[in-house]
Amino acid sequence: MIAFWRISGARTRAAMITLLVLALGALVVPALASTDPLAIGDALALRLLPPLSFDVTHHFHLLGTDAFGRDLFVRAMLAGRLSLAVGIAGSVLAGGMGIAIGAIGGWEGGVIDKLAMATGDVLLAIPRLVILLVCAALWPPGATMVITILVLTGWMGVARLVRGEVRGLRARPFVESAQAMGATPARVLWRYV
């Protein structure tokens, strides 16, 4: 991380700092809010306040309030939590699925490898947004559906990379040594490759 920080450009560092500040804000701001961001209070006294204003109870509203008197900045940060959770869960699960499919396809070869890579090619040919819109029309939208679509359409790049590495490592001497010592193919793949 430190080496990356040294060689990365100013724009990359600025983007990383901005992302960290937004992630930290999404985690901390709703917890420190003076009022519940989901509760509707005195809607007549608090509704539609402009940005950078104080309400009648002397609470500051950075982005103002909505028609129900709820702080827009706190609600945006609360929504950021869900966005972070969906993004992280989708990426981690898609990466895990890609590692598993790529490793098995690269190790086994043959029909399994061809089937996995052909499925990946088909899914790469369909834009992710189209799949997401079709699924939103068929099933009730929600975080679980979005994570599922991210996983089902995000594993292909990782699978291709892992498949290539596994195919390259499969012929190395340490893999042959492990097989000669009686290690099962699953153990060789999991432990050594």
Side-chain angles (χ1 to χ4, degrees):
M1 180 69 178
I2 293 173
F4 174 76
W5 188 262
R6 286 185 190 148
I7 63 170
S8 65
R11 288 183 181 172
T12 304
R13 286 192 296 269
M16 287 175 58
I17 290 170
T18 302
L19 182 62
L20 285 173
V21 167
L22 287 173
L24 187 64
L27 296 173
V28 172
V29 168
L32 299 176
S34 57
T35 59
D36 182 12
L38 301 176
I40 298 174
D42 185 6
L44 293 177
L46 301 176
R47 69 188 300 254
L48 301 175
L49 291 175
L52 304 173
S53 62
F54 288 91
D55 61 16
V56 294
T57 59
H58 303 294
H59 291 118
F60 179 70
H61 300 284
L62 182 66
L63 297 179
T65 60
D66 63 3
F68 297 109
R70 299 173 296 192
D71 190 304
L72 290 175
F73 178 68
V74 175
R75 288 179 59 79
M77 291 295 109
L78 189 62
R81 285 183 181 180
L82 180 63
S83 296
L84 283 172
V86 167
I88 291 171
S91 298
V92 168
L93 293 174
M97 186 173 172
I99 289 170
I101 291 173
I104 292 169
W107 184 261
E108 293 294 327
V111 175
I112 294 173
D113 184 34
K114 289 179 182 177
L115 183 65
M117 292 304 111
T119 304
D121 289 341
V122 168
L123 289 174
L124 280 171
I126 303 169
R128 185 180 284 182
L129 182 62
V130 172
I131 296 172
L132 189 59
L133 290 173
V134 168
C135 290
L138 296 176
W139 297 290
T144 305
M145 189 205 49
V146 174
I147 291 172
T148 303
I149 299 301
L150 290 175
V151 170
L152 293 178
T153 61
W155 60 268
M156 293 82 66
V158 176
R160 286 183 175 281
L161 182 68
V162 170
R163 174 186 173 265
E165 287 296 318
V166 167
R167 288 177 66 90
L169 291 173
R170 187 175 176 194
R172 300 286 298 268
F174 65 90
V175 173
E176 293 174 358
S177 299
Q179 289 173 330
M181 292 178 64
T184 63
R187 180 169 174 79
V188 172
L189 183 61
W190 177 256
R191 174 110 184 193
Y192 300 104
V193 177

